Amino acid sequence: MSLRILVPVKRVIDYAVKIRIKSDRSGVETANVKMSMNPFDEIAVEEAVRLKEKGLVAEIIAVSMGNQQCQETLRSAMALGADRSIHVETDKELQPLAVAKILQSLAKTENTNLLVLGKQAIDDDCNQTGQIVAGLLGWPQGTFASKIELSDDKKSLTVKREVDVGLETLRLMLPSVITCDLRLNEPRFAKLSEIMKARKKPIVKKTPEELGVDVEPRIKILKVEEPPTRPPGVKVDSVHALFDKLVEHGFV
Amino acid sequence: ACPYKPQSVNVALVGCDTYEETQKVLLSAKKDLGEILSAFEFFDTEALELLLSKDKNAVDPLGTKCRFYLLIETSGSDSSHDKEKVNNFLEKILSAGHIKDGTIAQDESQASSIWYLREHITEALKKTGYNYKYDITLPSPNFYDIVEQIRKRLSPDLAKVVGYGHMADGNMHLNIVSPTKSDQVLSQIEPFVYEYCATNKGSISAEHGIGLFKIEALKYSKPSAMIQVMRTLKQTLDPNGILNPYKVIPTHD
């Protein structure tokens, strides 16, 4: 069977930007800050496109959730090679559980057999969405993928995963969920001709209500703070004094 | 007060197959990007080839070989306004057939990769052999012609010739590299390059100055009367010649 891939892409603060905390400590300042597609999601799209270039994929659908500006991220995904997009429009704060529920609903209606996600978003660093949606769908998961191969009979995937002890190789029966890690691939530069074509590819709008999903956040952020500033160093003038200080601070 | 760092920066790389096309892109950029155009850099395929062979961190974003490459950067205060301007500009030059291919950076990392190419040509040249470097200004029609003229004068097994520079300013960095220092190669370049600048109303030094090495060439860009005035001023203000000695002003005509 041909792969029908769904790739969620998230609009986040560009990873190269130095972030600031809002003065009321409610979160990170996003106004007037450069936003880009989550780097791990770029890797996910790139992997889907590479599978398509091998002739293994019927269709790649990109999905993004949030306000109108998500459309920019979807255009980027289509410029990289996604065939069409879905914009799930909402102003609510979306947490991994809500995103997973939406993906579960879309995977069913779009007849997806491979869900490819970035391993985590660089703004919340949750690393949960892929795992939760695999659980909701009852599909096997290959997380932190550094290599993906489709079997000759097209019924399973061999996934190499980066784990603490090294590399682990799994075989997953389709349909399955993959989350992508850094070394899976290097995303291409979008060609201008593709960027122009992407402007005409379709983006369908949906809402969480239409999909029957309750996206109410279950976790409340109480406060966001910068890490404590490093205290100044202390100079000592002898080895004895150094030793005493080390003992005083419990290092020896 | 310090000027504000621009909110919205876009970096694009486009490829052209003829010099005339690059000029059309430049004209269009000046007209359609206007005040947000912050960089317009040029390099030829020879420069890119050299870079890719010597620097493993360099990546060719286009994948298709083009005769000339243009790095176009915009800087502004309103990202949606700028993005629209840039997209319209790129669509226009693409559909008019002025460019063969191109890309626009999707994030900071891609923007850095594109700038990396332009900024590391000089290092790659250094790794290739002995460099003969020229920083000249020429009017548009001659901007690249000088590179081709020099290339004609040197056989490929003697030396490689590359051209890159700040095209919007007419500033060409003409670079020649031979395996080792060669007087034969040098004789094919000088004084031809300086005579070429003089005949075509260019300058023998665009941004790098005269310093120690171009004192003898100053006469190709400044008439002797002018040099005499410079000398007189210098002697008046620095009679003992202790300020920045041995630089810029020839001691004799």
Side-chain angles (χ1 to χ4, degrees):
Chain A
M1 64 176 142
S2 241
L3 293 171
R4 299 186 50 77
I5 304 183
L6 185 64
V7 186
V9 292
K10 187 178 183 185
R11 185 169 182 269
V12 298
I13 295 180
D14 190 295
Y15 95 100
V17 168
K18 187 165 163 64
I19 56 165
R20 285 181 188 190
I21 313 272
K22 287 192 209 163
S23 45
D24 62 1
R25 297 201 279 171
S26 61
V28 171
E29 187 60 75
T30 53
N32 283 329
V33 166
K34 172 142 176 107
M35 308 290 273
S36 304
M37 189 189 298
N38 183 35
F40 296 107
D41 300 351
E42 284 180 354
I43 294 174
V45 176
E46 175 66 28
E47 196 60 22
V49 174
R50 288 190 190 189
L51 287 167
K52 184 157 188 227
E53 285 169 344
K54 290 192 186 136
L56 304 167
V57 176
E59 197 180 36
I60 304 173
I61 306 169
V63 56
S64 197
M65 309 173 195
N67 64 22
Q68 186 60 20
Q69 290 165 312
C70 286
Q71 304 231 344
E72 227 178 88
T73 318
L74 290 171
R75 294 282 171 215
S76 292
M78 293 190 291
L80 290 168
D83 299 297
R84 59 183 170 90
S85 307
I86 301 171
H87 171 206
V88 180
E89 193 162 25
T90 177
D91 280 319
K92 292 227 164 89
E93 180 204 336
L94 292 172
Q95 294 175 350
L97 178 60
V99 174
K101 288 197 250 175
I102 294 175
L103 290 175
Q104 175 194 19
S105 166
L106 289 173
K108 292 208 182 101
T109 49
E110 297 295 337
N111 217 359
T112 305
N113 56 15
L114 180 60
L115 196 50
V116 187
L117 305 88
K119 70 171 180 184
Q120 65 196 56
I122 60 169
D123 51 7
D124 54 25
D125 278 340
C126 283
N127 194 326
Q128 297 165 0
T129 310
Q131 292 87 333
I132 298 175
V133 71
L136 291 173
L137 287 166
W139 291 2
Q141 57 184 277
T143 54
F144 311 107
S146 62
K147 195 163 161 67
I148 305 172
E149 258 159 18
L150 185 63
S151 65
D152 289 329
D153 66 5
K154 312 240 170 93
K155 290 192 183 153
S156 66
L157 290 170
T158 305
V159 180
K160 218 174 239 174
R161 311 175 55 222
E162 295 186 0
V163 295
D164 290 344
V165 294
L167 293 172
E168 180 183 70
T169 308
L170 296 179
R171 188 165 66 100
L172 313 174
M173 303 307 291
L174 288 171
S176 44
V177 175
I178 303 282
T179 77
C180 303
D181 212 326
L182 205 59
R183 275 154 285 273
L184 179 59
N185 63 45
E186 195 168 319
R188 65 193 59 196
F189 283 83
K191 292 246 175 108
L192 267 184
S193 43
E194 294 302 313
I195 297 173
M196 298 304 150
K197 265 191 237 161
R199 297 224 247 168
K200 304 186 181 88
K201 286 182 184 171
I203 300 182
V204 169
K205 269 199 199 174
K206 296 197 196 265
T207 62
E209 295 75 36
E210 267 173 65
L211 300 171
V213 175
D214 164 24
V215 297
E216 214 44 59
R218 303 293 203 260
I219 301 172
K220 182 174 172 192
I221 294 176
L222 298 177
K223 72 168 184 244
V224 178
E225 287 179 321
E226 299 214 357
T229 46
R230 253 181 80 167
V234 174
K235 268 187 170 166
V236 295
D237 41 10
S238 75
V239 174
H240 286 294
L242 173 62
F243 188 78
D244 289 339
K245 278 274 172 209
L246 289 172
V247 170
E248 189 186 309
H249 285 87
F251 294 121
V252 173
Chain B
C2 283
Y4 281 98
K5 188 172 169 183
Q7 275 300 330
S8 132
V9 177
N10 289 292
V11 179
L13 185 73
V14 300
C16 301
D17 270 342
T18 68
Y19 180 68
E20 288 66 39
E21 280 165 9
T22 66
Q23 292 196 285
K24 294 211 173 99
V25 175
L26 176 58
L27 272 165
S28 186
K30 281 184 168 165
K31 180 160 154 241
D32 301 325
L33 297 174
E35 74 285 0
I36 62 169
L37 181 63
S38 55
F40 196 98
E41 296 292 306
F42 169 102
F43 50 95
D44 57 16
T45 198
E46 289 86 354
L48 183 63
E49 250 172 63
L50 194 93
L51 175 66
L52 292 173
S53 70
K54 296 281 172 191
D55 188 334
K56 51 181 155 53
N57 293 323
V59 172
D60 177 359
L62 298 185
T64 21
K65 189 167 163 169
C66 303
R67 185 74 190 83
F68 302 111
Y69 295 90
L70 301 169
L71 187 161
I72 303 168
E73 185 195 73
T74 66
S75 299
S77 52
D78 183 339
S79 61
S80 47
H81 161 269
D82 288 3
K83 252 247 140 55
E84 199 184 316
K85 253 181 152 155
V86 173
N87 282 329
N88 289 339
F89 162 73
L90 291 171
E91 182 153 28
K92 186 168 155 193
I93 55 174
L94 184 68
S95 44
H98 296 325
I99 56 173
K100 184 167 162 182
D101 202 353
T103 186
I104 181 166
Q106 299 293 311
D107 57 32
E108 290 301 308
S109 149
Q110 290 194 339
S112 303
S113 298
I114 295 174
W115 268 111
Y116 186 93
L117 298 176
R118 168 59 183 86
E119 290 175 339
H120 285 78
I121 298 172
T122 212
E123 196 182 303
L125 281 162
K126 237 190 172 135
K127 290 185 199 164
T128 308
Y130 183 83
N131 295 173
Y132 312 78
K133 302 180 81 72
Y134 299 91
D135 159 53
I136 57 183
T137 352
L138 286 166
S140 285
N142 308 90
F143 180 77
Y144 195 70
D145 181 60
I146 181 59
V147 180
E148 300 196 306
Q149 296 282 338
I150 296 286
R151 211 173 267 140
K152 271 195 216 139
R153 296 167 68 90
L154 290 164
S155 79
D157 40 82
L158 267 183
K160 278 198 181 117
V161 183
V162 316
Y164 59 94
H166 315 292
M167 192 176 179
D169 303 327
N171 183 187
M172 166 58 73
H173 292 309
L174 166 69
N175 276 256
I176 299 102
V177 54
S178 58
T180 50
K181 184 172 179 183
S182 157
D183 287 335
Q184 185 194 6
V185 170
L186 187 60
S187 69
Q188 289 296 97
I189 308 168
E190 292 182 29
F192 177 80
V193 62
Y194 296 139
E195 288 165 350
Y196 187 94
C197 289
T199 336
N200 293 293
K201 301 202 181 120
S203 172
I204 54 140
S205 175
E207 56 178 356
H208 294 171
I210 300 298
L212 279 174
F213 294 137
K214 291 186 205 159
I215 294 177
E216 300 305 317
L218 187 57
K219 62 179 187 275
Y220 289 97
S221 282
K222 295 233 179 280
S224 61
M226 181 63 82
I227 297 180
Q228 187 48 41
V229 171
M230 288 164 73
R231 194 177 291 130
T232 309
L233 276 169
K234 170 76 171 169
Q235 279 166 352
T236 310
L237 295 166
D238 177 24
N240 295 324
I242 59 172
L243 304 175
N244 203 23
Y246 320 121
K247 307 250 180 84
V248 185
I249 302 174
T251 49
H252 50 83
D253 279 320

